[in-house]
Amino acid sequence: MTSNVLYYGDNLDVLRRHIRAETIDLIYLDPPFNSAKSYNVLFAEQDGSRAAAQIRAFEDTWRWDQSAAAAYHDIVESGGKVSEVMQAFRLFLGESDMLAYLAMMAPRLVELRRVLKSTGSLYLHCDPTASHYLKLLLDAVFGPDQFQNEIVWKRTSAHSDSKRFGRVHDVLLLYRKSPGAVFNVLRQPLDQSYVNKVYSRVDEKGRRYRLGDISAPGGRGPVYEWHGVTKAWRFTKENMESLYREGRIKLYPDGKAMINAYVRYLDENEGIPIQDWWDDIGVIAAPAKERLGYPTQKPETLLERVILASSNPGDTLLDPFCGCGTTISAAQRLGRRWIGIDITHLAITLIKTRLSDAYGDSASYLVIGEPTTVEDAAALAASDPYQFQWWALGLVDARPAEQKKGADKGIDGRIYFHDASESGKTKSVILSVKAGHVTVSQVRDLVGVLQREKAEIGVLISFEDPTKPMRSEGATAGFYESPWGRHPRIQLLTVGELLAGKGIDYPRTAGTARTFKQAPKARRVAEPSPELFDSDEST
């Protein structure tokens, strides 16, 4: 089987059931957290039990409820340093949303350390709202001595804030599994203004250079007389003579030794080692091709830096909150194997679309956890109607409607397209997904919504085969005419038909019919990589 895997499900369950110990070389995680909420509200005491909220796409709030309390009890009862720090958090924070967030993160971080190789590293991406608590939690999981860096990423430009300094950065906490963790020194090119100022000399061959000090730092070096000057030198006398013969040391015109005399060529400078302040990677601009419309999307160049610094080609990366798949896309292009986990079918669909756009058939991977049969789909619909809805829409590359829960106005999803009949005009397919019993009334309602929205095509997706009255009602809507033919304005599709490969009949004009924004083609496609798991341990 392929070594690249995309899991749908709770990452804690996936980690425990599917990922073997010490199989991962690098972990990057950007766990969801609602930093836009009032900081004080996060610490408000929450009395009574609250039903676990439906986890929905882009919703990134943890709440103190029965589920959070159970997670807290489990991690505390497991003992050890993690238990101790969680008890301290509860004493300080009380039963707040912040404690709920930490209680949910703690067991996941424990599992992530378990799956990490001894040479592996973990980058946790967060904002300053919770970074100090997460750092203490990571100290408990990995040990304080395994902390490597608190990297500051300047994610946005300056902006005014009337009550405080502008918040413009995120934090990446870097921990290693052991002192033997992989780390590759990355360098930045020298700034041109610095080059012009410092490397101002040019030799007879046209090579730019500067002169460096050849005296010993702090006077700690061999002391001898050289060309009329006696002092502590950086090099031995033999090396000084050799460098002089090679033209790497200059003298004053009178033959006396210069202190600033060592020739350092520009073309030998590998650049400046990257530090823990990253202000050269901006957020994704609105018109950028890379931007996919996912609210928490990070720039791929940010993940490239993480991957290049802490892994080697062929290594395996894991992103347990993979969202729109930036880590996965960067890993694929840089020749790394990857595992992604997300709890929403919307994210899984977006990642599959992104990989297809960027790599075509070259991106080989498995998707585990998605329904593959009508029975699986029915089980998903029964346990989580919203996830079923997103999954069904994903089968036809439709975008979920962007209304609040309970206010969909008869529209569960949309597909936008263009054709040549009216140049430049955006047209749409509206979709309604029904998990239960369907009747002719649902078709009649869809016809009404189609007319109200002035859409071109309406689609009803259901488990049940449409009845004859339903088909007759749908036929009354007629056809949408395009340069590619006639398309029924009302189309009735079953889950079984979609799983068998049937799709919506609508104009697909040379790639211009797009629901999710198309990802740019990858600059380089990774070569196939070896197996990560034995087949009996990865399904």
Side-chain angles (χ1 to χ4, degrees), residues 104-117:
M104 293 295 183
M105 285 301 303
R108 288 162 173 81
L109 291 173
V110 169
E111 288 299 316
L112 290 173
R113 184 186 182 279
R114 178 187 65 82
V115 303
L116 201 60
K117 291 180 181 178

Side-chain angles (χ1 to χ4, degrees), residues 344-375:
T344 70
H345 278 295
L346 181 57
I348 300 299
T349 297
L350 182 55
I351 293 168
K352 292 193 294 185
T353 301
R354 183 174 189 171
L355 289 172
S356 176
D357 289 342
Y359 302 99
D361 295 334
S362 300
S364 177
Y365 60 94
L366 289 181
V367 180
I368 296 177
E370 280 200 317
T372 58
T373 66
V374 173
E375 290 76 17

